Amino acid sequence: MTITQAETLAELITNNRSVKRTICYLEAENSERVLSFGDLYERALGILFHLQKLGAKPGDKLIIYLANNEQFLDAFWAGVLGGIVPVPVALGISDEHKHKLLRIAKKLGKPFIYTDKKTLDRIGVFANSADGAGEGTTYDALAARAFFAEQVDDISKAGQVHVSRPDDMAFIQFSSGSTSEPKGVVLTHRNILMNARGAARPRAGTKRTSISPGCR
């Protein structure tokens, strides 16, 4: 199934899991990790199993707070396959970035979070400090629904795939500014696939670029 035929992101990855294409993760200047579409699909289902075991259901929000690209994509597709709405939030080193995460968590209500324990511990120290603006309660609620990337040591059990509809939320994108109140933009499966089709359609007078032989 091509992108022109799929109606949801879940349908897209499910029906392309046997396609002989790969994703390349650049781990260092001269090092890369290659993962097939099928492996990505299986990894996502394995993480989905743990999220559902934690209590995540279709329509719930999942903050993804990670610097590692591979872990990010695993969690993103796990959410998509389970109807759990991914909410990517960029890591930052300043207190304003930590405050932004807590403001987003409060705005979302009762989100889950996928991160690593050290990062969440740093958020907890900030939330309970004088600079944390009394966000200790928000942090406690978030920590209770946390799933840590380092806990993913067994992905042999698959989660249950949710059948999404084209106008269901696919993910929420928050504004990047750290000093203002974060604003979330809801993107549906239809939105994303329409944009992707438009980007893939060659414009008049342009040529397609070739793909590096290392990543297909």
Side-chain angles (χ1 to χ4, degrees), residues 81-174:
L81 287 167
I84 303 161
V85 182
V87 184
V89 179
L91 286 173
I93 61 174
S94 71
D95 286 351
E96 279 301 327
H97 284 94
K98 299 182 183 76
H99 205 170
K100 176 187 175 181
L101 172 68
L102 293 167
R103 290 198 298 264
I104 289 173
K106 182 181 289 186
K107 188 180 289 285
L108 292 174
K110 293 183 177 180
F112 291 83
I113 184 170
Y114 187 60
T115 185
D116 61 79
K117 192 174 188 306
K118 287 184 178 179
T119 297
L120 193 62
D121 286 345
R122 286 196 292 268
I123 299 297
V125 171
F126 169 75
N128 290 287
S129 69
D131 296 326
E135 296 287 7
T137 301
T138 302
Y139 168 78
D140 290 342
L142 188 62
R145 297 159 74 89
F147 179 44
F148 299 119
E150 59 265 35
Q151 291 178 334
V152 184
D153 55 358
D154 181 7
I155 54 173
S156 60
K157 296 181 180 178
Q160 184 174 356
V161 176
H162 172 73
V163 179
S164 298
R165 296 168 296 185
D167 292 316
D168 287 346
M169 281 189 289
F171 74 95
I172 301 176
Q173 181 177 346
F174 275 88

Coordinates of all heavy atoms in Angstrom, one line a residue, residues 81-174:
L81 N -0.3 3.4 16.5 CA -1.0 2.0 16.4 C -2.0 1.8 17.4 O -3.0 1.1 17.2 CB 0.1 0.9 16.4 CG 1.0 0.8 15.1 CD1 2.2 -0.1 15.3 CD2 0.1 0.3 13.9
G82 N -1.8 2.4 18.6 CA -2.8 2.1 19.7 C -3.9 3.2 19.8 O -4.7 3.1 20.7
G83 N -3.8 4.2 18.9 CA -4.8 5.3 19.0 C -4.5 6.2 20.2 O -5.3 7.0 20.6
I84 N -3.3 6.1 20.7 CA -2.8 6.9 21.8 C -2.1 8.1 21.1 O -1.3 7.9 20.3 CB -1.9 6.2 22.7 CG1 -2.5 4.9 23.3 CG2 -1.3 7.1 23.8 CD1 -1.6 3.9 23.8
V85 N -2.5 9.3 21.5 CA -2.0 10.5 20.8 C -0.6 11.0 21.2 O -0.4 11.4 22.3 CB -3.0 11.7 20.9 CG1 -2.6 12.9 20.1 CG2 -4.4 11.3 20.6
P86 N 0.4 10.8 20.3 CA 1.7 11.3 20.7 C 1.8 12.8 20.8 O 1.2 13.5 20.0 CB 2.6 10.8 19.5 CG 1.8 9.7 18.8 CD 0.4 10.2 19.0
V87 N 2.5 13.3 21.8 CA 2.8 14.7 22.0 C 4.3 14.9 22.1 O 4.8 14.8 23.2 CB 2.0 15.3 23.2 CG1 2.2 16.8 23.3 CG2 0.6 14.9 23.2
P88 N 5.0 15.2 21.0 CA 6.4 15.3 21.1 C 6.8 16.7 21.8 O 6.2 17.7 21.5 CB 6.9 15.4 19.6 CG 5.7 14.9 18.8 CD 4.5 15.2 19.6
V89 N 7.7 16.6 22.7 CA 8.2 17.8 23.4 C 9.7 17.8 23.4 O 10.3 16.8 23.8 CB 7.7 17.9 24.9 CG1 8.2 19.1 25.6 CG2 6.1 17.9 24.9
A90 N 10.3 18.8 22.9 CA 11.8 18.8 22.8 C 12.4 19.0 24.1 O 12.0 19.7 25.0 CB 12.2 20.0 21.9
L91 N 13.5 18.3 24.3 CA 14.3 18.4 25.5 C 15.0 19.8 25.5 O 15.4 20.3 24.5 CB 15.4 17.3 25.6 CG 14.9 15.9 26.0 CD1 16.0 14.9 25.8 CD2 14.4 15.9 27.4
G92 N 15.3 20.3 26.7 CA 16.0 21.5 26.9 C 16.7 21.6 28.2 O 16.4 20.8 29.1
I93 N 17.8 22.4 28.3 CA 18.6 22.4 29.5 C 18.2 23.5 30.5 O 18.6 23.5 31.6 CB 20.1 22.5 29.2 CG1 20.3 23.9 28.4 CG2 20.6 21.4 28.3 CD1 21.8 24.2 28.2
S94 N 17.4 24.4 30.0 CA 17.0 25.6 30.9 C 15.8 25.2 31.7 O 15.0 24.3 31.4 CB 16.7 26.8 30.1 OG 15.5 26.7 29.4
D95 N 15.6 26.0 32.8 CA 14.4 25.9 33.6 C 13.1 26.2 32.9 O 12.1 25.6 33.1 CB 14.5 26.8 34.9 CG 15.5 26.3 35.9 OD1 16.0 25.2 35.8 OD2 15.8 27.0 36.9
E96 N 13.2 27.1 31.9 CA 12.0 27.4 31.1 C 11.6 26.2 30.3 O 10.4 26.0 30.1 CB 12.3 28.6 30.2 CG 12.2 29.9 30.8 CD 10.9 30.2 31.4 OE1 9.9 29.7 30.8 OE2 10.8 30.9 32.4
H97 N 12.5 25.4 29.8 CA 12.1 24.2 29.1 C 11.4 23.2 30.0 O 10.5 22.5 29.6 CB 13.4 23.5 28.4 CG 13.8 24.2 27.2 ND1 14.8 25.2 27.3 CD2 13.4 24.2 25.9 CE1 15.0 25.7 26.0 NE2 14.2 25.1 25.2
K98 N 12.0 23.1 31.2 CA 11.3 22.2 32.2 C 9.9 22.7 32.6 O 9.0 21.9 32.7 CB 12.2 22.1 33.5 CG 13.6 21.5 33.3 CD 14.3 21.4 34.6 CE 15.7 20.9 34.5 NZ 16.6 22.0 33.9
H99 N 9.8 24.0 32.7 CA 8.5 24.6 33.0 C 7.5 24.4 31.9 O 6.3 24.1 32.1 CB 8.7 26.1 33.3 CG 7.6 26.7 34.2 ND1 7.7 27.9 34.7 CD2 6.4 26.2 34.6 CE1 6.6 28.2 35.4 NE2 5.8 27.1 35.4
K100 N 8.0 24.5 30.6 CA 7.2 24.2 29.5 C 6.6 22.8 29.5 O 5.4 22.7 29.2 CB 8.0 24.4 28.2 CG 7.2 24.1 26.9 CD 8.1 24.2 25.7 CE 7.3 23.7 24.5 NZ 8.1 23.7 23.2
L101 N 7.4 21.8 29.8 CA 6.9 20.5 29.9 C 5.8 20.4 30.9 O 4.7 19.8 30.6 CB 8.0 19.5 30.3 CG 7.6 18.1 30.5 CD1 7.1 17.4 29.3 CD2 8.7 17.3 31.2
L102 N 6.0 21.0 32.1 CA 5.0 20.9 33.1 C 3.7 21.6 32.7 O 2.6 21.2 33.0 CB 5.5 21.4 34.4 CG 6.6 20.6 35.0 CD1 7.4 21.4 36.1 CD2 6.1 19.3 35.6
R103 N 3.8 22.7 32.0 CA 2.7 23.5 31.5 C 1.9 22.7 30.5 O 0.7 22.6 30.5 CB 3.1 24.8 31.0 CG 3.6 25.8 32.0 CD 3.5 27.3 31.4 NE 4.4 27.4 30.3 CZ 5.6 27.9 30.4 NH1 6.2 28.2 31.5 NH2 6.4 28.0 29.3
I104 N 2.6 22.0 29.6 CA 2.0 21.1 28.6 C 1.2 20.0 29.3 O 0.1 19.6 29.0 CB 3.0 20.6 27.6 CG1 3.5 21.7 26.7 CG2 2.4 19.4 26.8 CD1 4.6 21.3 25.8
A105 N 1.9 19.4 30.3 CA 1.3 18.3 31.1 C 0.0 18.7 31.7 O -1.1 18.0 31.7 CB 2.2 17.7 32.1
K106 N 0.0 19.9 32.3 CA -1.2 20.4 33.0 C -2.3 20.7 31.9 O -3.5 20.4 32.2 CB -0.9 21.7 33.7 CG -2.1 22.3 34.5 CD -1.7 23.6 35.2 CE -0.8 23.3 36.4 NZ -0.5 24.6 37.2
K107 N -1.9 21.2 30.8 CA -2.9 21.6 29.7 C -3.5 20.3 29.2 O -4.7 20.3 28.8 CB -2.2 22.3 28.6 CG -3.1 22.9 27.6 CD -2.3 23.6 26.5 CE -1.7 24.9 27.0 NZ -2.8 26.0 27.2
L108 N -2.8 19.2 29.1 CA -3.3 18.0 28.5 C -4.2 17.2 29.5 O -4.9 16.3 29.1 CB -2.1 17.1 28.1 CG -1.3 17.5 26.9 CD1 -0.1 16.6 26.7 CD2 -2.1 17.6 25.7
G109 N -4.2 17.5 30.8 CA -5.0 16.8 31.8 C -4.3 15.7 32.5 O -3.6 15.9 33.4
K110 N -4.4 14.5 32.0 CA -3.7 13.4 32.6 C -3.0 12.6 31.5 O -3.3 11.4 31.2 CB -4.8 12.4 33.2 CG -5.4 13.0 34.5 CD -6.4 12.0 35.1 CE -7.0 12.6 36.4 NZ -7.9 11.6 37.0
P111 N -1.9 13.2 31.0 CA -1.1 12.5 29.9 C -0.2 11.4 30.5 O 0.1 11.4 31.7 CB -0.3 13.6 29.3 CG 0.0 14.5 30.5 CD -1.3 14.5 31.3
F112 N 0.2 10.5 29.7 CA 1.3 9.6 30.0 C 2.6 10.2 29.5 O 2.5 11.2 28.7 CB 1.1 8.2 29.3 CG -0.1 7.4 29.9 CD1 -1.4 7.6 29.5 CD2 0.2 6.4 30.9 CE1 -2.4 6.9 30.1 CE2 -0.9 5.7 31.4 CZ -2.2 5.9 31.0
I113 N 3.7 9.7 29.9 CA 5.0 10.3 29.4 C 5.9 9.1 29.2 O 6.0 8.2 30.0 CB 5.6 11.3 30.4 CG1 6.9 11.9 29.8 CG2 5.9 10.7 31.8 CD1 7.4 13.1 30.5
Y114 N 6.6 9.2 28.0 CA 7.7 8.2 27.7 C 9.0 9.0 27.7 O 9.2 9.9 26.9 CB 7.4 7.6 26.3 CG 8.3 6.5 26.0 CD1 8.4 5.3 26.8 CD2 9.1 6.5 24.8 CE1 9.3 4.3 26.4 CE2 9.9 5.5 24.5 CZ 10.0 4.4 25.3 OH 10.8 3.3 24.9
T115 N 9.9 8.7 28.6 CA 11.2 9.4 28.7 C 12.2 8.5 29.4 O 11.9 7.3 29.4 CB 10.9 10.7 29.6 OG1 12.1 11.5 29.6 CG2 10.5 10.4 31.0
D116 N 13.3 9.0 29.9 CA 14.2 8.2 30.7 C 14.1 8.7 32.2 O 13.7 9.8 32.4 CB 15.6 8.2 30.2 CG 16.2 9.6 30.2 OD1 16.6 10.1 31.2 OD2 16.2 10.3 29.1
K117 N 14.5 7.8 33.1 CA 14.3 8.1 34.5 C 15.1 9.3 35.0 O 14.6 10.2 35.7 CB 14.6 6.9 35.4 CG 14.2 7.1 36.8 CD 14.4 5.8 37.6 CE 13.8 5.9 39.0 NZ 14.2 7.1 39.7
K118 N 16.4 9.5 34.5 CA 17.2 10.6 34.9 C 16.5 11.9 34.5 O 16.5 12.9 35.3 CB 18.6 10.5 34.3 CG 19.4 9.4 35.0 CD 20.8 9.4 34.4 CE 21.7 8.3 35.1 NZ 23.1 8.3 34.6
T119 N 16.0 12.0 33.3 CA 15.4 13.2 32.8 C 14.2 13.5 33.6 O 14.0 14.7 34.0 CB 15.0 13.0 31.3 OG1 16.2 12.8 30.5 CG2 14.2 14.2 30.8
L120 N 13.3 12.5 33.9 CA 12.1 12.8 34.7 C 12.5 13.2 36.2 O 11.8 14.1 36.8 CB 11.2 11.6 34.7 CG 9.8 11.9 35.3 CD1 9.1 12.9 34.4 CD2 9.0 10.6 35.4
D121 N 13.5 12.6 36.7 CA 14.0 13.0 38.0 C 14.4 14.5 38.1 O 14.1 15.2 39.1 CB 15.2 12.1 38.5 CG 14.7 10.7 38.9 OD1 13.5 10.5 39.1 OD2 15.6 9.8 39.0
R122 N 15.1 14.9 37.0 CA 15.5 16.3 37.0 C 14.2 17.2 36.9 O 14.2 18.3 37.5 CB 16.4 16.6 35.7 CG 17.8 16.1 35.9 CD 18.7 16.6 34.9 NE 18.4 16.2 33.5 CZ 19.0 15.1 33.0 NH1 19.8 14.4 33.6 NH2 18.6 14.7 31.7
I123 N 13.2 16.8 36.2 CA 12.0 17.6 36.2 C 11.3 17.6 37.6 O 10.8 18.7 38.0 CB 11.0 16.9 35.2 CG1 11.5 17.0 33.8 CG2 9.6 17.7 35.2 CD1 11.8 18.3 33.2
G124 N 11.4 16.5 38.3 CA 10.9 16.5 39.6 C 11.6 17.4 40.6 O 10.9 18.1 41.4
V125 N 12.9 17.4 40.5 CA 13.7 18.4 41.4 C 13.3 19.8 41.1 O 13.1 20.6 42.0 CB 15.2 18.2 41.1 CG1 16.0 19.3 41.8 CG2 15.6 16.8 41.6
F126 N 13.1 20.1 39.8 CA 12.7 21.5 39.4 C 11.3 21.8 39.9 O 11.0 22.9 40.5 CB 12.8 21.7 37.9 CG 12.2 23.0 37.5 CD1 12.8 24.2 37.6 CD2 10.9 22.9 36.8 CE1 12.2 25.4 37.2 CE2 10.3 24.1 36.4 CZ 11.0 25.3 36.6
A127 N 10.4 20.9 39.7 CA 9.0 21.1 40.0 C 8.8 21.3 41.5 O 7.9 22.1 41.9 CB 8.1 19.9 39.6
N128 N 9.6 20.8 42.3 CA 9.5 20.9 43.8 C 10.4 21.9 44.4 O 10.6 22.0 45.6 CB 9.7 19.5 44.5 CG 8.6 18.6 44.2 OD1 7.5 18.7 44.7 ND2 8.8 17.6 43.3
S129 N 11.1 22.7 43.5 CA 12.0 23.7 43.9 C 11.3 25.1 44.0 O 10.1 25.2 43.6 CB 13.2 23.9 43.0 OG 12.8 24.4 41.7
A130 N 11.9 26.1 44.5 CA 11.3 27.4 44.6 C 11.1 28.0 43.2 O 10.1 28.8 43.0 CB 12.3 28.4 45.3
D131 N 11.9 27.6 42.2 CA 11.7 28.0 40.8 C 10.6 27.3 40.1 O 10.2 27.7 39.0 CB 13.0 27.9 40.0 CG 14.1 28.8 40.6 OD1 13.7 29.9 41.1 OD2 15.3 28.4 40.6
G132 N 10.1 26.2 40.7 CA 9.1 25.4 40.0 C 7.7 25.9 40.0 O 6.8 25.2 39.4
A133 N 7.5 27.0 40.6 CA 6.2 27.7 40.6 C 5.0 26.8 41.0 O 3.9 26.8 40.5 CB 5.9 28.2 39.2
G134 N 5.3 26.0 42.1 CA 4.3 25.2 42.7 C 3.8 24.1 41.8 O 2.6 23.7 41.8
E135 N 4.6 23.5 40.9 CA 4.2 22.5 40.0 C 4.4 21.1 40.5 O 4.4 20.1 39.7 CB 4.9 22.6 38.6 CG 4.6 23.9 37.9 CD 3.2 24.0 37.3 OE1 2.5 23.0 37.5 OE2 2.9 24.9 36.6
G136 N 4.6 20.9 41.8 CA 4.9 19.6 42.4 C 3.7 18.7 42.1 O 3.9 17.5 41.8
T137 N 2.5 19.2 42.2 CA 1.3 18.3 42.0 C 1.2 17.8 40.6 O 0.9 16.7 40.3 CB 0.0 19.1 42.4 OG1 0.1 19.4 43.8 CG2 -1.2 18.2 42.2
T138 N 1.5 18.7 39.6 CA 1.5 18.4 38.2 C 2.5 17.3 37.9 O 2.3 16.3 37.2 CB 1.8 19.6 37.3 OG1 0.8 20.6 37.6 CG2 1.8 19.2 35.9
Y139 N 3.7 17.5 38.6 CA 4.8 16.5 38.4 C 4.4 15.1 38.9 O 4.6 14.1 38.3 CB 6.1 16.9 39.0 CG 7.1 15.8 39.1 CD1 7.9 15.5 37.9 CD2 7.3 15.1 40.2 CE1 8.7 14.4 38.0 CE2 8.2 14.1 40.3 CZ 8.9 13.7 39.2 OH 9.8 12.7 39.2
D140 N 3.8 15.1 40.1 CA 3.4 13.8 40.8 C 2.5 13.1 39.9 O 2.6 11.8 39.7 CB 2.8 14.1 42.1 CG 3.9 14.6 43.2 OD1 5.1 14.4 42.9 OD2 3.4 15.1 44.2
A141 N 1.5 13.8 39.3 CA 0.5 13.1 38.4 C 1.2 12.6 37.2 O 0.8 11.5 36.7 CB -0.6 14.1 38.1
L142 N 2.1 13.3 36.7 CA 2.8 12.9 35.5 C 3.7 11.7 35.7 O 3.8 10.7 35.0 CB 3.7 14.0 34.9 CG 4.3 13.8 33.5 CD1 3.3 13.6 32.5 CD2 5.2 15.1 33.2
A143 N 4.4 11.7 36.9 CA 5.4 10.6 37.2 C 4.6 9.3 37.5 O 5.1 8.2 37.2 CB 6.1 11.0 38.5
A144 N 3.4 9.4 37.9 CA 2.6 8.2 38.2 C 2.2 7.5 36.9 O 1.8 6.4 36.9 CB 1.3 8.6 39.0
R145 N 2.3 8.2 35.7 CA 1.9 7.7 34.4 C 3.1 7.7 33.5 O 3.0 7.8 32.3 CB 0.7 8.5 33.9 CG -0.5 8.4 34.7 CD -1.4 9.6 34.4 NE -2.1 9.5 33.2 CZ -3.3 8.9 33.0 NH1 -3.9 8.3 34.0 NH2 -3.9 8.9 31.8
A146 N 4.3 7.5 34.1 CA 5.5 7.5 33.3 C 5.9 6.1 32.9 O 5.8 5.1 33.6 CB 6.6 8.1 34.1
F147 N 6.5 6.0 31.7 CA 7.1 4.7 31.2 C 8.5 5.1 30.7 O 8.6 6.0 29.9 CB 6.2 4.2 30.1 CG 6.7 2.9 29.5 CD1 7.2 1.9 30.3 CD2 6.7 2.7 28.1 CE1 7.7 0.7 29.7 CE2 7.2 1.5 27.5 CZ 7.7 0.5 28.4
F148 N 9.5 4.4 31.2 CA 10.9 4.7 30.9 C 11.4 3.9 29.8 O 11.3 2.7 29.7 CB 11.7 4.6 32.2 CG 11.2 5.4 33.3 CD1 10.8 4.9 34.5 CD2 11.2 6.8 33.2 CE1 10.4 5.7 35.6 CE2 10.8 7.6 34.2 CZ 10.4 7.0 35.4
A149 N 12.2 4.6 28.9 CA 12.8 3.9 27.8 C 13.7 2.8 28.2 O 13.8 1.7 27.5 CB 13.5 4.9 26.9
E150 N 14.4 2.9 29.3 CA 15.3 1.9 29.8 C 14.6 0.7 30.3 O 15.2 -0.4 30.5 CB 16.3 2.4 30.8 CG 15.6 3.0 32.1 CD 15.5 4.5 32.0 OE1 15.2 5.0 30.9 OE2 15.6 5.2 33.0
Q151 N 13.3 0.8 30.5 CA 12.5 -0.4 30.9 C 12.1 -1.3 29.8 O 11.6 -2.4 30.0 CB 11.2 0.1 31.7 CG 11.5 0.8 33.0 CD 10.2 1.2 33.6 OE1 9.2 1.5 33.0 NE2 10.2 1.4 35.0
V152 N 12.4 -0.9 28.6 CA 12.0 -1.7 27.4 C 13.0 -2.8 27.1 O 13.9 -2.6 26.3 CB 11.8 -0.8 26.1 CG1 11.2 -1.6 25.0 CG2 10.8 0.3 26.4
D153 N 12.9 -3.8 27.9 CA 13.9 -4.9 27.7 C 13.2 -6.2 27.1 O 13.8 -7.1 26.8 CB 14.5 -5.3 29.1 CG 13.5 -5.6 30.1 OD1 12.2 -5.5 29.9 OD2 13.9 -6.0 31.3
D154 N 11.8 -6.1 26.9 CA 11.1 -7.2 26.3 C 10.0 -6.7 25.5 O 9.0 -6.1 26.0 CB 10.6 -8.2 27.4 CG 9.8 -9.4 26.9 OD1 9.9 -9.5 25.6 OD2 9.2 -10.1 27.6
I155 N 10.1 -6.8 24.2 CA 9.1 -6.4 23.3 C 8.5 -7.5 22.5 O 8.0 -7.4 21.4 CB 9.6 -5.3 22.3 CG1 10.8 -5.8 21.6 CG2 9.9 -4.0 23.1 CD1 11.3 -4.8 20.5
S156 N 8.5 -8.7 23.1 CA 8.1 -9.9 22.4 C 6.5 -10.0 22.4 O 6.0 -10.7 21.6 CB 8.6 -11.2 23.1 OG 8.2 -11.2 24.5
K157 N 5.8 -9.3 23.3 CA 4.4 -9.3 23.3 C 3.9 -8.1 22.6 O 4.3 -7.0 22.8 CB 3.9 -9.4 24.7 CG 4.2 -10.6 25.5 CD 3.7 -10.6 26.9 CE 4.1 -11.9 27.7 NZ 3.6 -11.8 29.1
A158 N 2.9 -8.3 21.7 CA 2.4 -7.2 20.9 C 1.1 -6.6 21.5 O 0.3 -7.3 22.1 CB 2.0 -7.7 19.5
G159 N 1.1 -5.3 21.5 CA -0.1 -4.5 21.9 C -1.3 -4.7 20.9 O -1.1 -5.2 19.8
Q160 N -2.4 -4.2 21.3 CA -3.6 -4.4 20.5 C -3.8 -3.1 19.6 O -3.8 -2.0 20.1 CB -4.9 -4.5 21.4 CG -6.1 -4.7 20.6 CD -7.3 -5.1 21.5 OE1 -7.2 -5.2 22.7 NE2 -8.5 -5.2 20.9
V161 N -3.8 -3.3 18.3 CA -3.9 -2.2 17.4 C -5.3 -1.6 17.4 O -6.3 -2.4 17.4 CB -3.5 -2.7 15.9 CG1 -3.8 -1.6 14.9 CG2 -2.1 -3.2 15.9
H162 N -5.4 -0.3 17.4 CA -6.7 0.4 17.4 C -7.0 0.8 16.0 O -6.1 1.3 15.3 CB -6.6 1.6 18.3 CG -7.8 2.5 18.3 ND1 -9.0 2.1 18.8 CD2 -8.0 3.7 17.7 CE1 -9.9 3.1 18.6 NE2 -9.3 4.1 17.9
V163 N -8.2 0.6 15.6 CA -8.6 1.1 14.2 C -9.0 2.6 14.3 O -10.1 2.9 14.8 CB -9.8 0.2 13.7 CG1 -10.2 0.7 12.3 CG2 -9.4 -1.2 13.7
S164 N -8.1 3.4 13.8 CA -8.4 4.8 13.8 C -9.1 5.2 12.5 O -9.2 4.5 11.5 CB -7.0 5.6 13.8 OG -6.3 5.3 15.0
R165 N -9.7 6.5 12.6 CA -10.4 7.0 11.5 C -9.6 8.2 10.9 O -8.8 8.8 11.7 CB -11.8 7.5 11.9 CG -12.7 6.3 12.3 CD -14.0 6.8 13.0 NE -13.7 7.5 14.2 CZ -14.6 8.0 15.1 NH1 -15.9 7.8 14.8 NH2 -14.2 8.6 16.1
P166 N -9.8 8.6 9.7 CA -9.0 9.7 9.1 C -9.1 11.0 9.8 O -8.1 11.7 9.9 CB -9.6 9.8 7.7 CG -10.2 8.5 7.3 CD -10.7 7.9 8.7
D167 N -10.2 11.3 10.5 CA -10.3 12.6 11.2 C -10.0 12.5 12.7 O -10.2 13.4 13.4 CB -11.7 13.2 10.9 CG -11.8 13.7 9.5 OD1 -10.9 14.3 8.9 OD2 -12.9 13.4 8.9
D168 N -9.5 11.3 13.1 CA -9.0 11.2 14.5 C -7.7 11.9 14.7 O -7.0 12.1 13.7 CB -8.8 9.7 14.9 CG -10.1 9.0 15.0 OD1 -11.2 9.6 15.1 OD2 -10.1 7.7 15.1
M169 N -7.4 12.4 15.9 CA -6.2 13.0 16.2 C -5.0 12.0 15.9 O -5.1 10.9 16.4 CB -6.1 13.5 17.7 CG -6.8 14.7 18.0 SD -6.5 15.3 19.6 CE -7.4 14.1 20.6
A170 N -4.0 12.5 15.2 CA -2.8 11.7 15.0 C -1.7 12.0 16.0 O -1.2 11.2 16.6 CB -2.3 11.8 13.6
F171 N -1.5 13.3 16.1 CA -0.6 13.8 17.2 C -0.8 15.3 17.5 O -1.5 15.9 16.7 CB 0.9 13.5 16.9 CG 1.6 14.3 15.9 CD1 2.3 15.4 16.2 CD2 1.5 13.9 14.5 CE1 2.9 16.2 15.3 CE2 2.2 14.7 13.6 CZ 2.9 15.8 13.9
I172 N -0.3 15.8 18.5 CA -0.4 17.2 18.9 C 1.0 17.8 18.9 O 1.9 17.3 19.5 CB -1.0 17.4 20.3 CG1 -2.4 16.7 20.3 CG2 -1.1 18.9 20.6 CD1 -3.1 16.8 21.7
Q173 N 1.1 18.9 18.2 CA 2.4 19.6 18.1 C 2.3 20.9 18.8 O 1.4 21.8 18.5 CB 2.7 19.9 16.6 CG 4.0 20.6 16.4 CD 4.4 20.8 14.9 OE1 3.8 20.1 14.1 NE2 5.3 21.6 14.6
F174 N 3.2 21.1 19.8 CA 3.2 22.3 20.6 C 4.2 23.3 20.1 O 5.2 22.9 19.5 CB 3.4 22.0 22.1 CG 2.2 21.7 22.9 CD1 1.8 20.4 22.9 CD2 1.4 22.6 23.5 CE1 0.6 20.0 23.6 CE2 0.3 22.3 24.2 CZ -0.1 21.0 24.2

